[in-house]
Amino acid sequence: MNLVIQSAAPLAAEHTRPLTALARGAQAESIDAYALRIADADPKQSDDIAIYCDTHQLDAAWIAPQRLSDYGLLAMDMDSTLITIECIDEIADFCGVKAQVAAITEASMRGEISDFSESLTRRVALLKGLDAAALEHVFTERLALSPGAASMLEQARAAGLKTLLVSGGFTFFTERLQQQLGLDYARANTLEIVDGKLARFVQETCAALGMPTTRAIALGDGSNDLKMMAVAGLSVAFRAKPVVRAAADVAFNYVGLDGLPRLFV
């Protein structure tokens, strides 16, 4: 396995020797100023590597040698993954109920509310009477891409991947982001969420492209993304809840989305 170590700040050279020794790797090479690849690392050392990386706020990814172009689809959750905000929480701010809505959002993302449709219904009910202009205010004034998103998309396109934005939220935002970023596909719901629907979005898009879901990469942060991530060939948890980090192939806790292209040779 390759072990890819990444840092949000330039990676100090002093980490190379102890990490290579801990991983029992053959050799280490610099990917760029922020990342290091250790070849032939031993996955049995993952616990020790995790302790070291958590101590120094580094991200570690165990991944078989492969190219980004081996994949054909990059599927991305929207809220708190491709973008920094939870749209529904920011909409709620205009109604004076952000704290109540955010509490439900957090409980849902942690998996404490197992029925995502229930959590969405409860949150939307708090938005009754909202002026539709608030949606435009959220998009223009509060919505921002997550760190590294633009670079990740650029490199994914260069490698030939199609891009899919999925959301259990509102088409108002996914449609505008699709146009703004030039994404190939965007799928969302206005209100209705059916269990596992995000996974079906990925499956349907892969089928339309004539490829298996094993050639999809899925990025997510909350428990509602788990089924989507499970059908993908590579799942990446981005600044995610513990239940999602535990289930994902790779977790980015510190670096931006530009950490994804660095995983590949």
Side-chain angles (χ1 to χ4, degrees):
M1 297 285 282
N2 282 341
L3 172 60
V4 178
I5 304 294
Q6 301 193 61
S7 172
L11 183 62
E14 65 194 39
H15 292 304
T16 302
R17 183 171 293 178
L19 282 167
T20 305
L22 276 176
R24 299 176 182 170
Q27 62 180 13
E29 62 175 332
S30 174
I31 297 172
D32 58 23
Y34 300 89
L36 173 75
R37 180 183 298 109
I38 301 172
D40 298 324
D42 185 354
K44 294 178 182 178
Q45 296 298 106
S46 60
D47 289 344
D48 290 341
I49 292 293
I51 292 171
Y52 184 99
C53 288
D54 286 344
T55 300
H56 296 282
Q57 295 191 326
L58 305 173
D59 283 323
W62 300 84
I63 188 165
Q66 55 191 291
R67 299 168 299 176
L68 183 55
S69 59
D70 291 338
Y71 293 87
L73 178 68
L74 175 60
M76 304 159 286
D77 173 52
M78 181 176 70
D79 295 296
S80 296
T81 302
L82 184 64
I83 62 176
T84 60
I85 64 170
E86 290 285 335
C87 290
I88 196 168
D89 293 356
E90 299 307 315
I91 295 168
D93 197 26
F94 285 89
C95 298
V97 292
K98 183 174 182 178
Q100 298 96 304
V101 169
I104 300 172
T105 299
E106 280 296 304
S108 178
M109 294 300 99
R110 290 192 300 265
E112 295 169 8
I113 302 175
S114 58
D115 185 348
F116 191 73
S117 61
E118 174 196 344
S119 75
L120 185 61
T121 300
R122 287 168 56 184
R123 285 177 286 170
V124 170
L126 292 168
L127 305 181
K128 185 177 180 180
L130 174 71
D131 188 333
L135 300 178
E136 190 66 40
H137 283 298
V138 170
F139 186 83
T140 58
E141 299 169 15
R142 303 192 179 186
L143 188 149
L145 294 179
S146 292
S151 176
M152 176 191 70
L153 289 171
E154 179 182 358
Q155 294 184 67
R157 290 192 187 98
L161 278 70
K162 298 295 185 181
T163 51
L164 166 66
L165 179 64
V166 298
S167 175
F170 300 94
T171 55
F172 179 92
F173 298 100
T174 54
E175 289 172 355
R176 282 159 176 76
L177 280 169
Q178 180 182 15
Q179 182 177 15
Q180 178 178 302
L181 300 175
L183 305 177
D184 295 295
Y185 307 97
R187 300 288 300 274
N189 293 280
T190 303
L191 293 177
E192 181 188 12
I193 295 295
V194 179
D195 187 39
K197 197 155 191 178
L198 299 187
R200 291 205 296 276
F201 288 165
V202 174
Q203 292 168 327
E204 290 166 2
T205 304
C206 285
L209 292 170
M211 67 183 191
T213 58
T214 53
R215 292 194 60 212
I217 301 171
L219 295 164
D221 73 299
S223 61
N224 62 306
D225 299 318
L226 287 172
K227 290 187 177 181
M228 172 185 77
M229 295 167 71
V231 302
L234 179 67
S235 58
V236 180
F238 181 68
R239 301 183 184 181
K241 302 300 181 286
V243 65
V244 182
R245 295 199 301 268
D249 297 314
V250 175
F252 294 153
N253 302 320
Y254 306 107
V255 302
L257 292 174
D258 52 347
L260 177 66
R262 295 192 188 107
L263 298 180
F264 302 93
V265 297

